[in-house]
Amino acid sequence: MSTGFEEVRLSLPHIELAAHLYGPEDGLPVLALHGWLDNAASFARLAPKLQGLRIVALDFAGHGHSDHRAAGAGYALWDYAFDVLQVAEQFGWQRFSILGHSMGAITAVLLAAAMPERIARLALIDGLVPYTGEAEQAPAKLGEALRARQALSDKRKPVYAEMARAVEARMKGVGAVSREAAELLAQRGLMPVPGGYTWRTDSRLTLPSPLRLSWAHAQAFVRALQCPVSLVLAEQGMMGAQPAVRALLQDLPFEVHRLPGGHHLHLDDETGAQLVADCFNPFLRSP
């Protein structure tokens, strides 16, 4: 597996983020956004297979080697969207494409719908809309989130005596992954502590959302997209079982590819990564 990249740190006005750079400096600009609790290594198999692109694979705030947000701050999707804009500004990219997986794909959709003049193309992997919540559920959900936030200081991250145990835990986590994929994510996502290893991720990332977009909100963002969209759906992924999403896709001019594999099909093995690359190479390089 060819994973040649340059490690960089990006000093934004409000936070410092880490990233991997792939491809030639004069390649077409692409920001790669990973999923929840993952990191830039999510694109270690896929990015080298994408040709003619300058890919900036971010560690989102609170993930990987990026800084955690300040005390009292949160991790809303629109905060990630602002981070993405600030990264593009740092590279001098007025218009760029986004390669997004899961939460990264959802963030990409929100940003592209809100600021269509900035986004050229969206290449999405098993992600489109966030988990939604309707108005009648909002008071209870906010109460749940506030209680969880108050209780967070009493919780401690798990410590694994050996890295292999952390890898096994990640294999069974949300969006189960292959052992090789878990190893790649763990190599970047773990840090040594007394007694072994623990995850670098900010504990606040596990808190429930205080407020969710309604289904009407989610649809509005998707329908507002003006740029070309290519969406890869994993046959054993997390989107295929959502009837509302399937119905929405039937009414949209998206390029949709249904590929074998799980939610992390682009990272689980070389075959899956190549299948995804075969979909996105012609798409991302189109004029």
Side-chain angles (χ1 to χ4, degrees):
M1 175 178 58
S2 173
T3 57
F5 58 83
E6 178 186 355
E7 177 91 33
V8 296
R9 293 198 67 80
L10 307 170
S11 296
L12 308 184
H14 63 297
I15 197 168
E16 188 169 286
L17 302 182
H20 289 168
L21 299 185
Y22 294 89
E25 291 187 19
D26 61 351
L28 295 172
V30 176
L31 271 166
L33 310 179
H34 62 76
W36 180 62
L37 299 183
D38 289 344
N39 53 59
S42 179
F43 300 101
R45 291 190 192 272
L46 177 59
K49 300 180 189 300
L50 299 174
Q51 306 302 314
L53 307 176
R54 182 60 162 173
I55 299 173
V56 178
L58 284 181
D59 282 335
F60 271 136
H63 296 75
H65 288 225
S66 285
D67 285 353
H68 295 183
R69 296 211 191 277
Y75 288 92
L77 291 170
W78 32 90
D79 295 321
Y80 288 131
F82 180 72
D83 293 343
V84 171
L85 276 178
Q86 291 295 96
V87 170
E89 291 292 326
Q90 185 156 120
F91 281 91
W93 294 351
Q94 285 304 303
R95 191 164 171 82
F96 55 96
S97 295
I98 301 179
L99 166 63
H101 170 241
S102 195
M103 184 185 77
I106 295 164
T107 301
V109 168
L110 298 186
L111 177 56
M115 302 188 70
E117 71 278 7
R118 299 299 300 272
I119 310 302
R121 290 175 175 270
L122 292 181
L124 311 177
I125 304 170
D126 219 44
L128 182 67
V129 295
Y131 288 113
T132 57
E134 299 309 313
E136 60 271 16
Q137 303 163 337
K141 288 295 184 182
L142 178 57
E144 176 188 350
L146 292 173
R147 293 184 191 96
R149 187 169 176 178
Q150 280 190 312
L152 187 64
S153 60
D154 297 327
K155 294 185 178 180
R156 295 292 179 266
K157 291 181 181 180
V159 175
Y160 305 94
E162 301 172 350
M163 189 176 291
R165 295 188 180 180
V167 168
E168 289 170 1
R170 182 62 189 88
M171 289 173 64
K172 302 171 185 175
V174 176
V177 298
S178 69
R179 180 173 294 277
E180 288 187 2
E183 288 173 347
L184 286 166
L185 293 171
Q187 286 167 11
R188 187 164 183 82
L190 289 172
M191 63 181 181
V193 293
Y197 300 87
T198 195
W199 300 104
R200 294 178 180 272
T201 46
D202 191 332
S203 297
R204 289 174 290 178
L205 292 167
T206 63
L207 292 174
S209 300
L211 185 66
R212 288 181 172 177
L213 298 180
S214 69
W215 177 240
H217 281 114
Q219 287 188 84
F221 276 97
V222 174
R223 295 185 185 280
L225 294 173
Q226 298 180 25
C227 65
V229 178
S230 181
L231 171 64
V232 165
L233 294 178
E235 290 179 353
Q236 289 79 48
M238 299 176 69
M239 285 187 61
Q242 300 178 39
V245 174
R246 291 203 305 268
L248 177 62
L249 287 174
Q250 292 177 359
D251 194 32
L252 295 167
F254 292 178
E255 179 183 292
V256 179
H257 307 270
R258 290 174 172 81
L259 299 180
H263 186 56
H264 287 76
L265 76 165
H266 65 297
L267 182 64
D268 279 333
D269 54 49
E270 291 294 327
T271 299
Q274 188 60 59
L275 288 173
V276 175
D278 290 344
C279 295
F280 289 160
N281 262 318
F283 174 78
L284 287 170
R285 294 203 306 267
S286 296

